[in-house]
Amino acid sequence: MCIRDRTDGVVTLRPLGEDDVPFYTELHSLPDVVATSVPPIPPGPAEVRRRCSWAASHWLAGGRADMIVVDTASGLPAGEISLYYQEPRTAQAMIGYSMMPAFRGRGLTTRAAKLIALWAFAETGVARLIAGTLPDNLGSQRVLMKAGFRREAYLRSRLPGVAGTRHDDVQFVLLAEDLLAQASGGELTQPG
Ligand SMILES: CC(C)(COP(=O)(O)OP(=O)(O)OC[C@H]1O[C@@H](n2cnc3c(N)ncnc32)[C@H](O)[C@@H]1OP(=O)(O)O)[C@@H](O)C(=O)NCCC(=O)NCCS
């Protein structure tokens, strides 16, 4: 399965590449992006170069698809979103994302999450798409709810923090049928 650009007219997702090293470095140096990364440590220059230049091979190997979220109107990179196929045996994958401050609050991340979910369900074998957020990351939780995800679980001490600390994780899930219901105007109700 090759990664190609996808767009809804407002955002375009394109594969991360070697030319993205400066942008990726800047994005992953932002304190709130670092704090919400797993683990919460900024990637060093070698790791950034590795992620950018190996992105295509990572997806060919089936492990992860790293995409740049482009603001279609300006053509500028606005953020990034990744699909991690962390559990192929159970067909469960995970998404993660972050956005440059100048592009936040415009619904771009919500659009990117919907686009990557459509791709995952339509063109890969993914059956369950999950995303985790820190309990106080209300912005990310709102993105997920608006993209059709449902809050599913509260996982205590799920994530590594700095200096041996641990953080709880609020897990959200999206199924293809949730996305279809949303596309057809159906109501999404949160269980419990
Ligand atoms: C979380 C993040 C990706 C949101 O990006 P964004 O592009 O601003 O999100 P959207 O514009 O699609 O916003 C979707 C909804 O979330 C709301 N929202 C966004 N940030 C918010 C915040 N900090 N607090 C409360 N609501 C917030 C928006 O108002 C919008 O809801 P509305 O349409 O009802 O007004 C961005 O703030 C970010 O990169 N944060 C740092 C990294 C991070 O937290 N990544 C996620 C790790 S799980």
Side-chain angles (χ1 to χ4, degrees):
M1 180 74 49
C2 67
I3 321 178
R4 56 178 173 79
D5 293 5
R6 9 214 103 226
T7 186
D8 65 358
V10 176
V11 296
T12 301
L13 304 188
R14 65 159 175 80
L16 180 71
E18 287 179 356
D19 293 345
D20 295 312
V21 167
F23 173 78
Y24 197 90
T25 303
E26 188 182 349
L27 182 64
H28 282 270
S29 304
L30 296 171
D32 60 359
V33 172
V34 173
T36 54
S37 298
V38 181
I41 299 165
E47 172 65 11
V48 169
R49 270 198 310 280
R50 196 180 61 79
R51 282 188 205 171
C52 291
S53 50
W54 291 9
S57 330
H58 278 146
W59 184 243
L60 278 178
R64 59 189 281 172
D66 296 304
M67 319 282 283
I68 292 289
V69 181
V70 177
D71 170 40
T72 309
S74 65
L76 293 171
E80 56 115 7
I81 189 162
S82 297
L83 176 76
Y84 307 93
Y85 207 171
Q86 25 94 282
E87 245 191 64
R89 279 170 185 254
T90 64
Q92 177 171 284
M94 181 175 77
I95 62 166
Y97 42 74
S98 49
M99 195 61 59
M100 282 293 196
F103 292 93
R104 293 181 190 175
R106 290 164 43 182
L108 303 187
T109 309
T110 305
R111 287 175 175 276
K114 285 183 181 174
L115 269 176
I116 208 165
L118 267 175
W119 169 57
F121 289 130
E123 297 182 39
T124 78
V126 169
R128 277 171 59 85
L129 198 54
I130 64 164
T133 77
L134 293 169
D136 63 357
N137 194 345
L138 302 183
S140 185
Q141 292 171 20
R142 183 87 183 123
V143 164
L144 293 168
M145 303 281 278
K146 292 203 82 174
F149 284 71
R150 300 171 188 224
R151 181 176 160 142
E152 186 174 60
Y154 189 95
L155 306 169
R156 294 165 59 224
S157 203
R158 168 82 175 89
L159 302 169
V162 287
T165 58
R166 303 285 302 178
H167 295 295
D168 297 346
D169 182 41
V170 185
Q171 188 172 291
F172 289 76
V173 67
L174 182 71
L175 307 180
E177 65 218 51
D178 298 336
L179 208 56
L180 282 174
Q182 201 186 40
S184 63
E187 279 295 305
L188 277 173
T189 50
Q190 295 294 319

